[in-house]
Amino acid sequence: MKRAAIAIGLLALASCDRRSDAGPVVVSAIGGAPALAEPSTGPLDTPSRLLMDATAQGLVRFDAAGQIEPGIAERWTVIDGGMSYIFRLRDAEWSDGRVVSAAEVVAILRRQIGPRSRNPLLPFLSAVDEVVEMTPEVIEVRLKRPRPDLLKLFAQPELALFRTRPAGGGGPFRIAAAYRDGAMLRPAIDPARSPDDDSVEPGPEANVRLIGERAARAIIRFAARDSDMVTGGTFADWPLLAATDIAPANQKIDPAAGLFGLAIVNRDGFLGDVANRVAVARSIDRQAIVAAFTPNWSATAQLLPDRLDSGSSPAAVAWAAPPADDERPASELVAAWRKTHDGPLTLRIALPSGPGATILYGFVAASLRRMGIEAERVAIDANADLRLVDAVAPYDSARWYLGTACQPCGSDAQAAIEAARDAPSLDLRARHIADADVALAADVAYIPIARPLRWSLVALRLGQWQGNSRAWHPLNHLRNDTK
């Protein structure tokens, strides 16, 4: 009976995912058409990050589980108490077949972290002092201050070693064909392989067809079994899945680490008073918001998910507890503000487009209206009073959470964040981070709601896919085999 039950379960899974195991893996990444763009010129969207990660790579990269694995560097050593990282490069080739040299790697890294760079990771690379060539195969990254989390930054696609002339990198794939909406990628030949190696070349199923498109089109393509994966899904697009019959076995949610909440970006007017910010934070029903999406999404009132590299446990926020007996009700705070100001009290909420954002706006606006405040929805990059922060943490440091949530924050919190950045030792850094966490909680500069909701649709043929805290799924780690 037990074997029969298992067989029935396997048949049910197979019936919900009837698609051929032959041919290239087709991946829809939510966003625009992927393009190879120099990371130092600005942020990349999900399709372009995937293309960069596939065709170029950094000194290290992420594997399917979100852990560090070798990239252009085959091994590395950390010396001088974490003040120096020494990388030995492997026998790698650029996309045009030329051998990768340490001098080229050094030049690219210097450009990416230079003063004119617009690389989005630049604010978190201030500890890097210099990058030097030691030998034609070895480079050293020297730091001003110890940073145990540096490798996770180097694994991001934004620090991929990408040459502009000719454009290309030394990643696990090469572009075999370019299309208006994406590219066909084929595995790169490993130059370290022996010339007399008689192993079989990867077949067509080892290729990947990467497509960048809107969430609705990506979901329709997957539902029609014309793709094997949809990646880059956020809360904004999640409600679209309700209109499909895609099986639960294909719907995956990452245990993403990061921030999902409202940053108070305008501290003039009503939000200039901390008591008013407390009232707004307390009014938002986090549990109702996450329950409107999926039971697999949990609310939070804490900025930090854990202690991480802070000297103390995450700071408690006073507004998460019931109001004190002598605390003025929110309606009285609004009424008092109106007595000294003309016209209605309106707060602008900056959100992305998408049905999930509409749901979120409905809950936030309803909470504000109960206080007597009108809400106005504006674009995510428009002038606003409250702006949604929806970001996955690139590395596991409390400083990233604090620095990202401070948009802006009070002078005490800002000073502690800067002191943590410049701290000469890890112990002192941890103490400053803990101080910044307490100061930011007291300042109420950021209103946590949950952790980021990141989802994918995954065909059963992609047996190597794993959910992870980075919500990152490299194209070379999707199948268990590439025969």
Side-chain angles (χ1 to χ4, degrees):
M1 289 293 292
K2 186 175 181 180
R3 289 183 178 178
I6 293 174
I8 291 171
L10 291 174
L11 285 172
L13 286 174
S15 65
C16 71
D17 192 49
R18 293 182 189 136
R19 63 192 80 209
S20 173
D21 194 41
V25 172
V26 180
V27 174
S28 288
I30 296 175
L36 285 176
E38 167 61 50
S40 64
T41 61
L44 307 174
D45 67 357
T46 297
S48 294
R49 294 183 83 231
L50 278 169
L51 184 62
M52 179 65 72
D53 183 72
T55 59
Q57 59 186 331
L59 293 167
V60 293
R61 55 186 293 118
F62 288 123
D63 64 13
Q67 301 300 312
I68 298 296
E69 69 174 8
I72 292 294
E74 62 181 0
R75 59 182 183 273
W76 51 90
T77 305
V78 184
I79 61 173
D80 294 340
M83 297 288 286
S84 174
Y85 285 68
I86 297 175
F87 297 89
R88 174 168 289 277
L89 308 185
R90 64 179 176 85
D91 294 329
E93 291 181 352
W94 299 113
S95 56
D96 61 357
R98 288 183 56 240
V99 176
V100 174
S101 69
E104 291 174 299
V105 171
V106 167
I108 293 171
L109 287 176
R110 286 176 176 173
R111 183 176 71 244
Q112 289 175 338
I113 64 176
R116 292 189 294 178
S117 173
R118 294 174 52 221
N119 193 306
L121 296 180
L122 194 61
F124 306 102
L125 292 165
S126 61
V128 177
D129 186 21
E130 57 180 338
V131 184
V132 297
E133 176 189 2
M134 299 182 70
T135 75
E137 298 83 26
V138 179
I139 73 165
E140 181 183 10
V141 179
R142 298 171 183 167
L143 305 182
K144 305 171 190 174
R145 303 170 292 276
R147 285 294 179 270
D149 42 39
L150 188 66
L151 289 179
K152 290 176 181 175
L153 284 170
F154 278 162
Q156 299 290 332
E158 286 78 6
L159 287 179
L161 299 167
F162 177 74
R163 290 192 313 169
T164 55
R165 295 182 182 177
F173 288 95
R174 300 286 185 264
I175 296 177
Y179 308 101
R180 186 177 63 178
D181 61 355
M184 179 67 74
L185 308 175
R186 71 167 186 271
I189 301 299
D190 186 351
R193 199 171 70 185
S194 171
D196 59 355
D197 191 335
D198 59 356
S199 62
V200 178
E201 292 289 337
E205 60 275 6
N207 294 344
V208 174
R209 168 79 162 93
L210 176 63
I211 302 169
E213 57 189 349
R214 293 182 295 108
R217 292 182 62 87
I219 293 170
I220 291 171
R221 189 187 301 274
F222 187 90
R225 298 177 175 83
D226 291 331
S227 70
D228 301 288
M229 184 171 80
V230 175
T231 191
T234 72
F235 87 104
D237 310 309
W238 174 262
L240 296 173
L241 294 177
T244 73
D245 59 355
I246 295 173
N250 299 123
Q251 300 180 27
K252 309 291 186 180
I253 295 179
D254 280 294
L259 293 175
F260 184 88
L262 296 169
I264 296 174
V265 293
N266 180 15
R267 294 167 72 94
D268 296 327
F270 182 76
L271 294 178
D273 190 307
V274 67
N276 296 342
R277 298 196 294 272
V278 167
V280 171
R282 181 171 283 142
S283 74
I284 295 174
D285 191 342
R286 291 156 188 77
Q287 296 294 343
I289 290 172
V290 298
F293 287 81
T294 170
N296 296 320
W297 199 16
S298 299
T300 185
Q302 290 184 165
L303 171 65
L304 300 183
D306 206 339
R307 181 168 178 165
L308 301 176
D309 53 351
S310 173
S312 301
S313 298
V317 288
W319 51 262
D325 293 339
D326 58 349
E327 189 171 324
R328 296 178 69 185
S331 57
E332 288 188 14
L333 294 173
V334 174
W337 190 88
R338 281 180 169 170
K339 285 182 180 179
T340 58
H341 296 79
D342 295 329
L345 172 55
T346 301
L347 294 181
R348 298 160 297 172
I349 317 297
L351 297 170
S353 60
T358 300
I359 292 173
L360 175 61
Y361 175 72
F363 278 101
V364 174
S367 298
L368 294 177
R369 288 191 185 106
R370 283 192 290 270
M371 295 175 58
I373 301 173
E374 291 300 314
E376 177 188 355
R377 180 175 177 176
V378 298
I380 189 64
D381 56 352
N383 291 330
D385 301 295
L386 297 165
R387 177 171 288 114
L388 180 70
V389 177
D390 182 14
V392 175
Y395 65 114
D396 301 315
S397 173
R399 183 178 166 259
W400 177 87
Y401 287 83
L402 295 163
T404 303
C406 180
Q407 299 191 22
C409 53
S411 58
D412 290 346
Q414 184 64 56
I417 293 171
E418 292 174 0
R421 179 195 63 198
D422 299 332
S425 70
L426 294 179
D427 287 343
L428 189 56
R429 172 185 167 91
R431 290 200 292 272
H432 286 310
I433 286 175
D435 291 343
D437 187 24
V438 171
L440 196 60
D443 187 57
V444 195
Y446 171 79
I447 303 173
I449 296 175
R451 298 300 164 203
L453 177 62
R454 294 293 185 269
W455 58 269
S456 299
L457 302 178
V458 185
L460 300 184
R461 71 183 290 210
L462 305 187
Q464 202 176 357
W465 188 98
Q466 295 183 51
N468 61 76
S469 62
R470 305 285 159 231
W472 184 247
H473 307 289
L475 300 183
N476 63 319
H477 285 300
L478 296 178
R479 290 177 55 86
N480 284 329
D481 62 87
T482 55
K483 61 184 180 179

